[in-house]
Amino acid sequence: LLSEERIVEAALKLAGEAGRLENVSMRALAQDLGLPVMTIYNYVANKEALYELVINHVLRQVRIPLPEEGSWEERLRQLERDSRRAVNRCPGVSFDRRGGGAAEATRLADGAMSILASAGFDSTAAALAFATLFTFLLGQIELDATDLAELSATDIEEVTRETQLSRDEVFEFGLDAVIEGLKAMLPQRRSAAGSPRRPSSP
Amino acid sequence: LLSEERIVEAALKLAGEAGRLENVSMRALAQDLGLPVMTIYNYVANKEALYELVINHVLRQVRIPLPEEGSWEERLRQLERDSRRAVNRCPGVSFDRRGGGAAEATRLADGAMSILASAGFDSTAAALAFATLFTFLLGQIELDATDLAELSATDIEEVTRETQLSRDEVFEFGLDAVIEGLKAMLPQRRSAAGSPRRPSSP
DNA sequence: ACCTGAACACCGTTCAAGT
DNA sequence: ACCTGAACACCGTTCAAGT
């Protein structure tokens, strides 16, 4: 009996061993499942579809924080943290452009957008803010996947090593900075409602 | 006559056609140069070394802004902008973990670190700030490489399309936000020199 | 109709044979 | 000593032969 679940499970295991999901071959995947290679193609159209299956599985575990779970800043922080953890928990997977079309990625994007809307960003500003958060997360996950002292000289790796900074600390600092920056981009809101719009000073 | 320069030139051309440097084969590269495949291996040890050659070539064009060219914020902005432009000018190249060890990447990292130092970040804070900027740039370049409406539904692509936001605008907004956020992280500095250190309030 | 073995058109790289 | 053709050990996927 073969299922998508078993395929994903095997793919994740092999991705961990191979370092990268991209260099797990369909042949190796089939062998691990004890199946002829072509049988897998009854479940996934091609290797690209396998990537999507995996990234959907990974992101499905991420929950969108509810409005009552904290301020918009805290909810965004939690969403970003949770997304990073979910991806990093599965070594070898990263969601670059291939993850874009995944249904679960869309769900998380919607969640982030609605949190931003609740913060007072209009749809244009929310799109910009979302792109910033997404972009930061993408880069951070890429950085997390870069292990050991591959980066030489005065690169991040060296500095963070000699200053004893963990990856989590690096992430938290960056996340704080990004959210702080987004807060500054928020059109001036007054605690009193109905404040008239004033032109922003350059 | 064969040189590193000619190899890089051909690789860049083919990367543009293939969409990604990673799927330019050594065989195709050799054919484009009118050479036997194995001759290339006299100049690059393996394909990984080819990536490094290319990324070094691309980043070499990026200049570190001099201290007199503006405030630290403006110099950082310029460095990030320039780096992004250099990479995006060569379609198919992206500097993920493979670019990490490249000498030119180190040069740019050093440049960013020294700008951050001049802004008043101590070495720990500078490392954290650099990681944030680097991470943002990495993700942004990845996003730039994701073309067309591959991203579905309420993803960035749709929102930015319907709100008519260009990729440059998305980048500039994010960059402003990140730098604004970093400024907020800067330990309080007074315009007068020698101000005594005060404990930061939580 | 479903499943899948063999085959096709590729890879990066090794290695030994040529000069 | 240098250069490189042939060969090796892989790929993802097509397709037609089997049931």
Side-chain angles (χ1 to χ4, degrees), chain B residues 9-10 14 18-19 23 33 38 40 43 48 54 80 89 93 103 112 114 129-130 140 160 167 171 173-174 182 191 199:
Chain B
E9 195 184 350
L14 295 180
N23 39 295
L33 290 164
M38 289 316 296
I40 298 183
Y43 294 82
E48 206 74 13
V54 169
E80 294 269 308
R89 190 162 28 218
V93 238
S114 90
F130 170 68
Q140 186 69 44
T160 55
R167 282 161 194 275
F171 174 73
F173 176 92
L182 292 183
S191 42

Side-chain angles (χ1 to χ4, degrees), chain B residues 25-27 38 41 47:
Chain B
S25 71
M26 297 299 264
R27 286 168 150 95
M38 289 316 296
Y41 283 85
K47 214 183 176 187

Side-chain angles (χ1 to χ4, degrees), chain B residues 95-118:
Chain B
F95 72 130
D96 37 13
R97 76 200 74 183
R98 274 171 293 292
E104 286 299 315
T106 301
R107 180 179 65 86
L108 298 185
D110 286 343
M113 286 294 286
S114 90
I115 295 175
L116 286 165
S118 83

